[in-house]
Amino acid sequence: MTLVSTHGTHPIWFVAVDGIQALDLVGPHEVFATANQVADTLGVSGRRYRLEIVGATDGVVATESPIRLAGIPLPAPDDITGTVLIPGGTGARTGHHPQLVDWLRVAGARADRIATVCTGAFLAAQAGLLDGKRATTHWAWAGHLADDHPSITVEPDSIWVRDDPVWSSAGVTSGIDLALAMVEADLGADVAQHVARWLVVFLRRPGGQSQFAGPVWSGAAETEPVRAAQDTIHADVAGDLRLDTLAAHVGLSSRHLARRFEAEIGMTPARYVETVRLEAAQRLLEETSSGVDVIAAESGLGTAESLRRCFQRRLGISPTDYRRRFRPQTA
């Protein structure tokens, strides 16, 4: 869906509840407001965005920060056109909003486009707007969204996902990525590129959410043999962690350990080993100045080339780029 009309406005309804994450709303709001200015400057034809913050109680929304934002009451849902954008935050994820969910159910069916930022996906899901769709949310809550709403195909590593008429994004600043993608679809790449330059952000951020997430291993296993295998893996990430070796160490057959490990941890032993080694490599890149060949050996990922392949496959960026982004700068 793109905006092809040469006149008029395209409303964007920012649906706000108390306890939202301020940047989930303010970030996209700034992108669309800047796009209007850039399009005017460049003489680009097409609609302009009309931005409305709705859902406010007594005209004010209290964010998590707690920055306070001015807004208006929800308009009649049957009158909605344009884009309904739902920010996330504690209020959106855990609050009880039956009237808002009912409003979203009707307004979402009327809107041209539905967009969610971070855990705003949970409100959209409650309203049935994501049923049968691909969507994403913050990496820390992606599993919860998938468990609570099995009809949604959750993509936990995506920065944003488009499955018309639904657009969804990951946590916090990814709302800016999502808004830029909408601007590019609506007003063209030139406008979107100018907006990104003005806001000093990537037009297309490289990599997925995994590069920002901390360790996401499961907790301790239920049974002693699998816990012992976990402990062995964590004790020496560069050691011999082949399945046969782990199985012999804990006194199980390889097949039996693999079956029990996946049942209790949710991933195969090989996947778990790679995940632990990847996190070790990330930490070494952040905390040391060692070369990638040394880090590959110390993390158990083998050679510099295998380290690079693992980073590209799992994080979508190179080890060098990861270090550049996440290693603290020294004076």
Side-chain angles (χ1 to χ4, degrees):
M1 192 279 295
T2 57
L3 308 182
V4 296
S5 174
T6 58
H7 61 279
T9 60
H10 178 86
I12 299 185
W13 309 95
F14 293 84
V15 181
V17 298
D18 286 341
I20 63 167
Q21 159 63 245
L23 195 54
D24 285 6
L25 188 154
V26 176
H29 195 287
E30 286 298 305
V31 170
F32 293 121
T34 304
N36 282 342
Q37 299 168 9
V38 168
D40 287 343
T41 300
L42 298 179
V44 175
S45 62
R47 295 183 184 181
R48 299 296 183 259
Y49 300 111
R50 176 165 62 87
L51 310 178
E52 300 282 0
I53 300 175
V54 300
T57 303
D58 299 326
V60 175
V61 176
T63 70
E64 290 179 332
S65 302
I67 294 171
R68 299 174 75 81
L69 303 173
I72 61 174
L74 291 171
D78 288 332
D79 295 337
I80 292 297
T81 60
T83 297
V84 173
L85 189 148
I86 311 167
T90 304
R93 188 178 69 252
T94 64
H96 185 58
H97 309 287
Q99 291 182 325
L100 177 58
V101 170
D102 289 342
W103 184 89
L104 285 171
R105 189 173 291 113
V106 178
R110 300 276 301 175
D112 301 302
R113 182 167 58 192
I114 299 122
T116 66
V117 180
C118 195
T119 52
F122 283 79
L123 278 174
Q126 290 177 46
L129 302 179
L130 306 186
D131 288 351
K133 295 294 184 180
R134 295 180 299 109
T136 192
T137 188
H138 191 288
W139 60 265
W141 298 101
H144 296 277
L145 183 65
D147 291 342
D148 293 348
H149 302 278
S151 67
I152 303 169
T153 301
V154 178
E155 299 186 2
D157 194 43
S158 296
I159 297 295
W160 60 269
V161 172
R162 177 179 181 177
D163 191 356
D164 287 330
V166 175
W167 298 56
S168 58
S169 62
V172 198
T173 59
S174 65
I176 295 173
D177 301 76
L178 182 73
L180 283 167
M182 291 184 190
V183 169
E184 184 173 12
D186 297 342
L187 298 172
D190 195 29
V191 173
Q193 184 65 66
H194 275 76
V195 173
R197 288 172 178 166
W198 187 255
L199 298 179
V200 198
V201 295
F202 286 111
L203 177 58
R204 296 178 187 85
R205 190 191 316 208
Q209 291 195 70
S210 297
Q211 62 186 296
F212 304 100
V216 291
W217 320 318
S218 301
E222 298 175 2
T223 61
E224 178 57 34
V226 180
R227 282 199 301 271
Q230 284 182 293
D231 291 342
T232 300
I233 293 166
H234 288 282
D236 184 11
V237 295
D240 182 356
L241 300 179
R242 291 172 296 177
L243 178 59
D244 289 350
T245 304
L246 289 172
H249 181 76
V250 302
L252 297 177
S253 70
S254 298
R255 180 176 297 180
H256 192 189
L257 175 61
R259 187 165 55 246
R260 288 178 61 172
F261 199 103
E262 188 164 9
E264 295 185 32
I265 304 301
M267 65 181 81
T268 66
R271 178 74 172 182
Y272 189 87
V273 167
E274 184 181 70
T275 300
V276 173
R277 285 174 167 169
L278 176 62
E279 197 280 329
Q282 290 175 271
R283 187 171 62 251
L284 289 167
L285 286 165
E286 294 169 19
E287 298 176 358
T288 76
S289 58
S290 300
V292 292
D293 52 344
V294 173
I295 290 174
E298 292 183 353
S299 65
L301 287 172
T303 66
E305 181 57 31
S306 61
L307 175 70
R308 293 188 187 95
R309 287 199 301 268
C310 181
F311 266 68
Q312 288 290 353
R313 184 177 69 255
R314 297 288 295 270
L315 305 183
I317 58 174
S318 71
T320 302
D321 284 342
Y322 182 90
R323 169 173 272 167
R324 186 180 297 118
R325 294 181 198 184
F326 294 103
R327 186 181 178 192
Q329 297 299 307
T330 57

